[in-house]
């Protein structure tokens, strides 16, 4: 494997890790399968691109992207908690609505950032090459987000959010409004997703209306890989696992691309990885049951 | 203290699955009352607790706590004044969180969750002190995840959680039923100790007739969504388990069809 492959995986792994942390927050911590993420990622990219093209500060663009992402999460949370729409459907509704909104923000299906000043070019102007700059940008964002998430999830409110994902009935009997906790969690998760989208747009040099498709599955793949390799014994470890999972996922993708998998088959490949990972416990269980049945059968044989 | 006034609860009204779970029931608790509720399966015992906590809304009637009507308040608001232990030991705790995190969540029952440290050093000292009351050595396992504990340990922890922020009302739903007899006994003793220490007004569902006559100061029997018997004072003291069974048969106009009550002695 060439150094470029490693570096590429690290660059993309870090920039996308912020999105994966968002998926972790909604899917794992809150136990909410939130499909808003597919639209929220593009929303972040669209907002930052629009900012930059209008000649505004890219940093403000990224902050605005986060607020827009949070608003998207808020809408999904509202649909679910107030209008009692099922989680999957609430997320899909927001995602579909965002498709139109993203097109409006961008004004076209594709918007280029060629030769414009971005957060990435700022770092490059300090004398780093593009790869290094992307790693620096991604690492700064990941470190800040991991620290803030870790601290937040240990506050009263953060703990109430974790309990909402673990045992909703229990935390309600302890006086917590679980609707509010879900809305806060979904907003935070989608703010992270949009931040990631805004960084990826600057890294790729363009925003595309379809760039968020399948993001939730990618995020899930990374979360599962991280949990399998690093574990989730403690909260900090689980957060670090997410980041490592994101980098390893990118590495796997670069390797299969090098081996010759067409880029167009990537989503199929990712779907298969996630399916296998999700099905793994079921397969293991049925295997165990079969083994046990055989043992019970043997015992009866010796009895007879 | 607690007044349940002509409360009715109908599940799935108007559909073929319509089920009248509570029919116009009334029950008054004086401060310090410890009431046992008995009755066959499906009598509506859990539903009584659910309408008090707000886990399910009432169809008719009123519920007053210290004179304040609470029947239309949401569950999380009412929770400020009530502690609850469920029948299922898995229901009362968050398995993926640690013992101290669970206790910290419970300690802040009734106060707003803010962006400030979720557990303080002072909290930990309190948790150790309370956990040592259980005699389960949990005070040295603050950082263990609750999922690692046995059902009995979890139920004992839930009991602590229900009472660590002293409630006005303690609600227990067959909280020893799922435990082995020895552990159940231990948890019940602990329950008595806590109720006494904090003088808690308590509503306890039980399946054990003997216990229902000994524990606390009142015994209420339910059948098909109605309260058919309310024993207290001298009359309760004179009642034996056998008589209680007979009373049940007489009041419900049926022979006892619930093996569980019989088997529980
Ligand atoms: N959420 C619900 N939806 C429909 N029916 C319910 C629900 N909860 C309880 N019931 C019904 O109400 C009746 C009383 O239930 P419950 O209060 O749980 O009885 P128990 O005395 O055994 O605790 C039962 O017939 C039960 O099937
Ligand atoms: Mg019950």
């Amino acid at each position: 494997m060439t150094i470029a492959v490693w570096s590429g995986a690290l660059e993309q792994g870090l920039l996308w890790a912020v999105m994966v942390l968002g998926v972790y927050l909604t899917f794992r911590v809150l136990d909410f399968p939130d499909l808003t993420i597919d639209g929220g990622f593009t929303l972040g990219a669209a907002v930052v691109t629009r900012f930059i093209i209008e000649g505004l500060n890219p940093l403000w663009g990224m902050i605005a992207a986060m607020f827009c992402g949070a608003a998207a999460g808020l809408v999904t949370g509202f649909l679910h908690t107030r209008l009692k729409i099922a989680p999957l459907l609430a997320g899909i509704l927001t995602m579909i609505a965002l498709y139109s909104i993203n097109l409006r923000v961008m004004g076209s299906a594709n918007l280029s950032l060629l030769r414009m000043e971005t957060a990435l070019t700022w770092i490059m102007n300090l004398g780093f090459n593009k790869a290094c700059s992307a790693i620096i940008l991604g690492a700064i964002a990941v470190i800040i987000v991991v620290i803030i998430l870790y601290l937040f999830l240990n506050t009263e409110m953060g703990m109430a959010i974790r309990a909402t994902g673990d045992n909703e009935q229990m935390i309600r009997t302890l006086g917590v409004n679980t609707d509010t906790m879900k809305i806060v969690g979904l907003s935070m998760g989608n703010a992270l997703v949009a931040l990631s989208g805004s960084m990826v747009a600057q890294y790729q040099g363009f925003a595309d209306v379809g760039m968020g498709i399948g993001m939730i599955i990618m995020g899930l793949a990374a979360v599962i890989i991280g949990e399998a390799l690093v574990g989730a014994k403690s909260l900090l470890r689980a957060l670090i696992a997410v980041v490592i999972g994101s980098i390893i996922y990118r590495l796997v993708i670069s390797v299969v691309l090098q081996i010759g998998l067409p880029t167009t088959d990537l989503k199929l490949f990712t779907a298969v990885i996630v399916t296998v990972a999700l099905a793994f416990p079921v397969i293991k269980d049925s295997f165990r049951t079969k083994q046990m049945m055989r043992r019970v059968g043997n015992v009866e044989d010796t009895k007879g | 203290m607690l007044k349940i006034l002509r409360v009715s609860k109908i599940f799935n009204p108007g559909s073929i699955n319509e089920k009248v779970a509570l029919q116009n029931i009334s029950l008054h608790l004086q401060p310090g009352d410890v009431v046992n509720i008995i009755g066959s399966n499906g009598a509506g015992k859990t539903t009584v607790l659910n309408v008090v906590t707000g886990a399910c809304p009432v169809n008719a009637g009123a519920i007053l706590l210290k004179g304040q009507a609470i029947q239309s308040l949401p569950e999380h608001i009412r929770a400020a004044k009530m502690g609850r232990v469920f029948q299922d030991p898995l229901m009362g705790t968050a398995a993926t969180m640690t013992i101290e995190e669970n206790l910290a969540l419970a300690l802040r029952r009734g106060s707003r969750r803010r962006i400030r440290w979720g557990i303080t050093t002072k909290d930990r000292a309190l948790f150790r002190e309370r956990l040592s009351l259980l005699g389960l050595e949990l005070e040295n396992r603050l950082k263990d995840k609750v999922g690692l504990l046995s059902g009995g340990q979890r139920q004992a922890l839930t009991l602590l959680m229900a009472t660590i922020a002293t409630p006005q009302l303690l609600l227990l739903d067959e909280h020893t039923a799922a435990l082995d007899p020895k552990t159940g006994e231990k948890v019940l003793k602990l329950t008595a100790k806590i109720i006494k220490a904090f003088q808690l007004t308590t509503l306890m569902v039980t399946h054990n007739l003997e216990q229902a006559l000994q524990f606390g100061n009142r015994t209420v029997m339910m059948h098909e969504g109605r309260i058919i018997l309310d024993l207290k004072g001298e009359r309760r003291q004179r009642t034996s388990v056998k008589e209680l069974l007979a009373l049940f048969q007489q009041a419900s106009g049926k022979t006892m069809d619930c093996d569980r009550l019989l088997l529980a002695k």
Side-chain angles (χ1 to χ4, degrees):
Chain A
M1 246 185 311
T2 61
I3 193 91
V5 174
W6 283 99
S7 163
L10 191 59
E11 293 156 34
Q12 297 171 5
L14 286 171
L15 292 172
W16 264 274
V18 175
M19 177 276 292
V20 184
L21 285 162
V23 172
Y24 172 79
L25 187 62
T26 52
F27 202 91
R28 276 288 189 258
V29 174
L30 209 52
D31 197 20
F32 192 107
D34 179 27
L35 295 186
T36 316
I37 283 162
D38 282 23
F41 190 80
T42 315
L43 179 65
V47 168
V48 85
T49 309
R50 174 55 56 199
F51 260 67
I52 292 170
I53 285 175
E54 300 294 332
L56 298 164
N57 186 325
L59 195 62
W60 283 116
M62 287 159 74
I63 291 169
M66 287 181 77
F67 273 101
C68 292
L74 192 100
V75 169
T76 301
F78 180 84
L79 293 179
H80 172 60
T81 59
R82 296 290 134 84
L83 307 184
K84 307 291 173 212
I85 297 172
L88 280 175
L89 198 52
I92 291 176
L93 286 171
T94 313
M95 178 182 85
I96 290 297
L98 280 176
Y99 191 86
S100 297
I101 292 171
N102 291 338
L103 276 173
R104 268 187 189 271
V105 173
M106 287 162 60
S108 66
N110 195 297
L111 213 53
S112 169
L113 284 171
L114 210 63
R115 277 185 288 280
M116 303 226 190
E117 184 187 303
T118 67
L120 208 64
T121 60
W122 285 351
I123 301 173
M124 284 162 78
N125 288 342
L126 296 177
F128 297 99
N129 64 17
K130 182 167 180 227
C132 263
S133 307
I135 291 170
I136 291 170
L137 178 66
I140 292 174
V142 162
I143 290 169
I144 293 176
V145 168
V146 165
I147 290 174
I148 289 181
L149 262 187
Y150 177 74
L151 294 177
F152 174 72
L153 289 173
N154 277 304
T155 63
E156 290 180 358
M157 188 186 271
M159 275 167 50
I161 288 180
R162 282 158 63 202
T164 302
D166 183 307
N167 187 342
E168 205 177 328
Q169 174 60 54
M170 164 257 191
I171 195 63
R172 240 186 279 130
T173 59
L174 295 180
V176 168
N177 185 346
T178 49
D179 285 354
T180 310
M181 294 306 134
K182 284 183 189 173
I183 291 175
V184 172
L186 286 169
S187 296
M188 284 185 74
N190 280 289
L192 294 181
V193 168
L195 173 63
S196 179
S198 75
M199 292 191 300
V200 167
Q202 297 176 71
Y203 171 72
Q204 293 180 335
F206 65 88
D208 181 277
V209 76
M211 69 192 279
I213 296 174
M215 211 39 72
I216 175 96
I217 296 300
M218 266 193 218
L220 214 48
V223 168
I224 292 169
I225 292 172
E227 279 170 354
L229 296 181
V230 185
K233 272 223 173 69
S234 68
L235 194 57
L236 190 60
R237 191 156 171 164
L239 292 173
I240 291 169
V242 164
V243 176
I244 291 177
S246 172
I247 294 167
I248 300 212
Y249 169 77
R250 286 291 151 186
L251 202 59
V252 172
I253 294 295
S254 338
V255 169
V256 295
L257 284 181
Q258 283 229 315
I259 290 171
L261 187 85
T263 328
T264 44
D265 287 346
L266 265 188
K267 292 214 187 334
L268 176 64
F269 177 76
T270 306
V272 171
I273 295 189
V274 173
T275 307
V276 171
L278 291 178
F280 189 67
V282 181
I283 296 166
K284 208 169 66 181
D285 262 11
S286 77
F287 182 70
R288 260 209 212 125
T289 318
K290 265 190 206 133
Q291 258 187 336
M292 220 143 63
M293 298 279 255
R294 215 172 295 138
R295 224 174 295 144
V296 172
N298 286 343
V299 170
E300 303 219 313
D301 281 352
T302 51
K303 258 193 212 156
Chain B
M1 183 54 137
L2 176 72
K3 277 191 183 162
I4 300 174
L5 294 171
R6 306 171 135 271
V7 163
S8 293
K9 174 67 204 174
I10 305 163
F11 287 108
N12 312 313
S15 78
I16 36 169
N17 294 323
E18 181 172 296
K19 171 78 206 174
V20 181
L22 297 179
Q23 296 190 45
N24 207 12
I25 68 157
S26 295
L27 185 67
H28 298 349
L29 268 65
Q30 301 299 322
D33 263 0
V34 177
V35 179
N36 297 271
I37 306 180
I38 52 175
S40 48
N41 271 332
K45 306 179 297 293
T46 300
T47 307
V48 169
L49 301 193
N50 280 339
V51 296
V52 172
T53 61
C56 55
V58 300
N59 294 86
I63 300 169
L64 305 174
L65 186 63
K66 280 198 163 166
Q68 188 202 355
I70 58 167
Q71 72 275 1
S72 44
L73 296 177
E75 189 177 9
H76 67 270
I77 303 282
R78 293 192 217 183
K81 305 197 167 85
M82 307 174 187
R84 179 171 193 183
V85 183
F86 298 92
Q87 187 169 349
D88 180 353
L90 306 183
M91 281 273 282
T93 44
T96 60
M97 300 177 73
T98 62
I99 293 178
E100 62 174 13
E101 284 170 343
N102 273 274
L103 283 164
L105 287 167
L107 185 61
R108 285 158 183 75
R109 182 166 52 75
S111 49
R112 251 189 64 198
R113 313 288 158 145
R114 292 167 204 275
I115 311 267
R116 65 176 174 206
W117 220 234
I119 311 173
T120 64
T121 332
K122 218 176 93 195
D123 294 342
R124 285 201 181 89
L126 175 70
F127 299 161
R128 279 208 190 83
E129 181 200 316
R130 290 293 178 90
L131 282 166
S132 65
L133 289 179
L134 300 180
L136 295 170
E137 316 253 299
L138 292 181
E139 61 274 21
N140 303 318
R141 298 176 62 186
L142 285 184
K143 303 238 187 261
D144 277 7
K145 290 203 173 145
V146 169
L148 298 171
L149 305 183
S150 70
Q153 289 172 324
R154 280 178 82 161
Q155 205 65 328
L157 179 63
T158 309
L159 186 64
L160 266 196
M161 287 167 60
T163 51
I164 197 158
T166 312
Q168 293 182 6
L169 192 64
L170 179 62
L171 303 160
L172 308 168
D173 191 357
E174 302 196 46
H175 67 305
T176 60
L179 309 178
D180 66 84
K182 234 177 101 188
T183 317
E185 186 97 353
K186 210 168 172 181
V187 171
L188 192 70
K189 277 208 180 112
L190 184 73
T191 310
K193 199 159 128 187
I194 290 176
I195 289 175
K196 197 163 165 227
F198 299 103
Q199 308 206 327
L200 298 174
T201 309
T202 305
L203 210 49
M204 176 169 97
V205 177
T206 175
H207 59 285
N208 184 325
L209 294 190
E210 202 172 76
Q211 179 187 311
L213 287 172
Q214 284 167 5
F215 199 90
N217 66 331
R218 272 173 81 180
T219 307
V220 165
M221 187 181 275
M222 290 187 67
H223 185 67
E224 290 181 345
R226 295 175 197 276
I227 291 176
I228 57 171
L229 187 69
D230 187 352
L231 286 176
K232 50 190 155 188
E234 212 179 312
R235 181 157 174 237
R236 180 172 183 257
Q237 273 173 6
R238 280 191 279 110
T239 309
S240 68
V241 173
K242 246 192 192 142
E243 284 168 310
L244 196 59
L245 264 176
L247 280 170
F248 180 90
Q249 284 161 8
Q250 186 195 359
S252 64
K254 270 189 191 173
T255 47
M256 173 65 76
D257 59 345
C258 176
D259 293 343
R260 211 157 60 105
L261 280 175
L262 283 166
L263 288 174
K265 281 191 301 178

